Amino acid sequence: MLDEARIRKAAASIIKAIGEDPEREGLVDTPTRIAKMYAELFSGLGVDPKEDLTVGYEEGHREMVILRDIPFYSMCEHHLLPFYGTVHIGYIPDVSGRIVGISKLARVVEIIARRPQIQERMTGQIADAIMEGLKPSGVVVVTQAEHLCMIMRGVKKPGSAIVTSALRGSFHTHPESRAEFFSLLQGK
């Protein structure tokens, strides 16, 4: 459970540590705003993303399903700076043809992104949650993101995009499924 009182105290301490006055008019409510913001930004902690995949439909659909361009915002666990971009998900239903509502896939992304993260882990966690929760024949997840820790500090390289992928099941073992997914993704 997020401790907003501790976050407010820590934020006030940081404001003091950078040489500012936490009682100044523009900063007096900043610790409270930060605590509320962190409650929202880290709302995926302690939430099981597979729960959203329990309601499905036995449609007998055995062809690839793709949901692309799912926007996300997350916080880099190394610097607590945002990274943001899009996630593309493809899955092939199992032999029963069980599918889920597409909003459920976007919800999985939202839950996992709302944790202190690194992009590589996030991509794999999305794929694993869908594999475990939906039990399809295969899942592929591709994440494209920009990281403010690379833009604002350190190497300062705006426009750098990081792309990660995770392949599970038939997407890992069948190159033709993988090729079809990437072909359809390119055909935006």
Side-chain angles (χ1 to χ4, degrees):
M1 187 60 135
L2 191 106
D3 187 339
E4 287 192 34
R6 284 181 71 183
I7 293 172
R8 284 192 303 272
K9 185 177 177 182
S13 181
I14 289 171
I15 291 168
K16 285 180 192 173
I18 65 169
E20 265 287 3
D21 176 9
E23 298 302 317
R24 183 168 64 76
E25 182 181 4
L27 292 172
V28 72
D29 292 327
T30 297
T32 299
R33 285 190 294 269
I34 289 172
K36 289 179 188 229
M37 175 187 69
Y38 277 8
E40 180 181 344
L41 294 178
F42 299 123
S43 62
L45 288 167
V47 178
D48 184 354
K50 295 184 297 293
E51 289 295 314
D52 278 300
L53 300 173
T54 58
V55 177
Y57 311 97
E58 303 294 330
E59 290 293 323
H61 186 78
R62 294 283 299 131
E63 302 300 321
M64 191 178 306
V65 176
I66 298 174
L67 180 58
R68 63 183 186 199
D69 300 321
I70 307 164
F72 79 90
Y73 302 88
S74 192
M75 294 290 277
C76 166
E77 67 184 37
H78 298 144
H79 301 101
L80 287 183
L81 285 172
F83 67 99
Y84 59 93
T86 55
V87 173
H88 315 287
I89 298 171
Y91 75 92
I92 299 173
D94 69 1
V95 294
S96 73
R98 183 172 176 268
I99 60 171
V100 293
I102 55 173
S103 67
K104 304 303 184 188
L105 298 174
R107 179 79 177 125
V108 168
V109 171
E110 180 82 4
I111 290 167
I112 293 172
R114 291 198 176 266
R115 302 171 177 176
Q117 273 295 8
I118 62 171
Q119 182 176 329
E120 297 87 345
R121 181 188 321 118
M122 185 183 92
T123 304
Q125 286 177 342
I126 293 166
D128 292 340
I130 295 168
M131 273 306 279
E132 293 168 24
L134 186 55
K135 304 206 182 326
S137 295
V139 172
V140 59
V141 176
V142 175
T143 304
Q144 299 171 280
E146 291 189 51
H147 294 244
L148 276 137
C149 57
M150 279 195 56
I151 295 170
M152 295 176 63
R153 54 157 307 280
V155 296
K156 295 182 182 98
K157 298 296 179 206
S160 299
I162 293 83
V163 179
T164 53
S165 66
L167 301 124
R168 305 289 186 269
S170 58
F171 282 102
H172 190 68
T173 58
H174 294 95
E176 60 280 356
S177 295
R178 193 168 47 247
E180 179 183 356
F181 171 80
F182 286 107
S183 173
L184 291 169
L185 197 62
Q186 300 262 334
K188 290 185 183 186

